[in-house]
Amino acid sequence: MTPRPERVRRFTRGERRVHRATAALMLVCLVTAAALYLPPLAELVGRRRLVVAVHEWSGIALPLPALLGLASRAFRRDLRLLNRFAPYDRDWLRDALRRVPRDRRAAGKFNAGQKLYASFAAGAVLVMLGTGLLMMFPHLSGVVWRTGATFVHDWLALAVAAVVAGHLWMAADDPQARLGMRTGFVTPEWARRRHPRWEYAEPGETGEPGPPDTGA
Amino acid sequence: MEDKGTPVGRRVVLGMLGLGALGVAFGSRAQDGLDSALSQVAGKDPTGLSGLLPGGGGFRIYNVANSVPHRDATDYRLTVSGLVDRKATHTLADLRAMPQTRLVRDVQCVTGWRVPGTPFEGVRLSHLLDLAGVQDGAGAVRFTCFDGVYSESLTLEQARREDVLVALRMQDKPVSTAHGGPVRLYVAPMYFYKSAKWLSGIEVTRDVRPGYWEHYGYEVDAWVGRSNGRHDDPTS
């Protein structure tokens, strides 16, 4: 048996920066949205035109970190992994619905939940950007479109807030996952337990860690 | 191996873009339906949570100043000035002692939300203008607010309408600070940005001077359903 590496690289520095910048912009969008939308907060904060400007510009900037991240090979590789669903991802979702304990569900570097979250986030950012621009420039479109854009923007905002809260909840529940995003490294024990199909390679290792306990 | 398989991620993104486009095209109609459904629910919802949903039939609070101003019966004053024979300063007690008018109409915001059947009660603006005695050559009325920022105006003809009030009560309670209390303007037939909150000054002028939002593209003659490119049902 090959000696186990002390730690496994999960994210490069560039990827972590993309995540951090996206998270910060998303937070600003959500906080300013709340200050515009919830009456008690709107009353407390006031400064409506300033809050609107901060909301608009952080929303426009939201896709930029990921676009810049495309320069990174590691980021592009992870996007491919997030995009593709293997048969075990369907099993993961089915098991998740049946409340099978997480350590007995098969997953690659990203589990099916993370894949769906990432796709939802990407789609939501684009739809919010498009509808937001329609609301910013009402003269470019008719009233019907502007009302439609407001409709989509408002309801999707509620969904985004709920899903991001779920994302934070999952992270709060898994210190190793947070460590991976903060430092870039996780322990091999965690990688095998939570992501048994993850084909990570360490220097000195040929890959194929061959998890003994996938349960799949 | 890991990067083979069905491109579910791409499908989710494209699917959301498609749904978003459909939502933009048909959301206007969907929101109309939801509005009536939600206002039914909101009427029976003691928690008020349904009012937070989009189109939930609740008011949204817009404040352009840096903080919410607060005045009450002890320090509130309403001045009437400009092209009038008798300049005046009214206290809250003075206004309460004047003839009161109660109107129940829908409130329509120019951003789309509408609150059905909202009672407003107060002194007709025309009454205050008559008390002051409008001089010849006057053509408009300008309103200023004690938030120090907001302003509005009406033509003299609009200001004399019977459905334009200096409101002391809203929803059968004294106008709350958040809703522009203790005294706000209520221009029933126009979009709600004309109903200036925290009213503190009425100035009779020669010509209309555009108000706060009108510097940012909203129309001065803000008739509900006939301005700002919208087609809402009239409110008065």
Side-chain angles (χ1 to χ4, degrees), chain A residues 66-89:
Chain A
L67 287 176
L68 292 174
L70 290 177
S72 146
R73 181 191 297 257
F75 183 72
R76 291 200 304 273
R77 159 110 186 130
D78 278 355
L79 285 188
R80 271 198 298 278
L81 297 184
L82 287 166
N83 180 28
R84 297 285 171 173
F85 260 55
Y88 54 74
D89 285 317

Side-chain angles (χ1 to χ4, degrees), chain A residues 27 47 50 58-59 80 125 157 192 211 214:
Chain A
L27 195 68
R47 298 172 173 81
L50 172 70
S58 53
R80 271 198 298 278
V125 164
R192 289 201 182 91
T214 59

Side-chain angles (χ1 to χ4, degrees), chain B residues 68-145:
Chain B
V68 177
H70 186 86
R71 285 190 196 172
D72 56 27
T74 60
D75 56 356
Y76 177 79
R77 298 288 182 277
L78 176 63
T79 61
V80 183
S81 62
L83 302 173
V84 292
D85 294 329
R86 296 170 291 278
K87 292 188 168 50
T89 302
H90 303 293
T91 65
L92 200 52
D94 296 338
L95 293 170
R96 282 178 182 148
M98 294 177 190
Q100 306 287 308
T101 302
R102 184 170 181 271
L103 297 175
V104 183
R105 304 275 195 276
D106 291 359
V107 166
Q108 176 70 53
C109 178
V110 73
T111 62
W113 53 266
R114 187 179 182 106
V115 183
T118 309
F120 284 86
E121 195 176 340
V123 183
R124 282 210 178 100
L125 179 58
S126 59
H127 180 74
L128 290 172
L129 293 174
D130 290 344
L131 282 181
V134 175
Q135 294 175 349
D136 291 344
V141 184
R142 174 178 158 80
F143 307 93
T144 49
C145 305

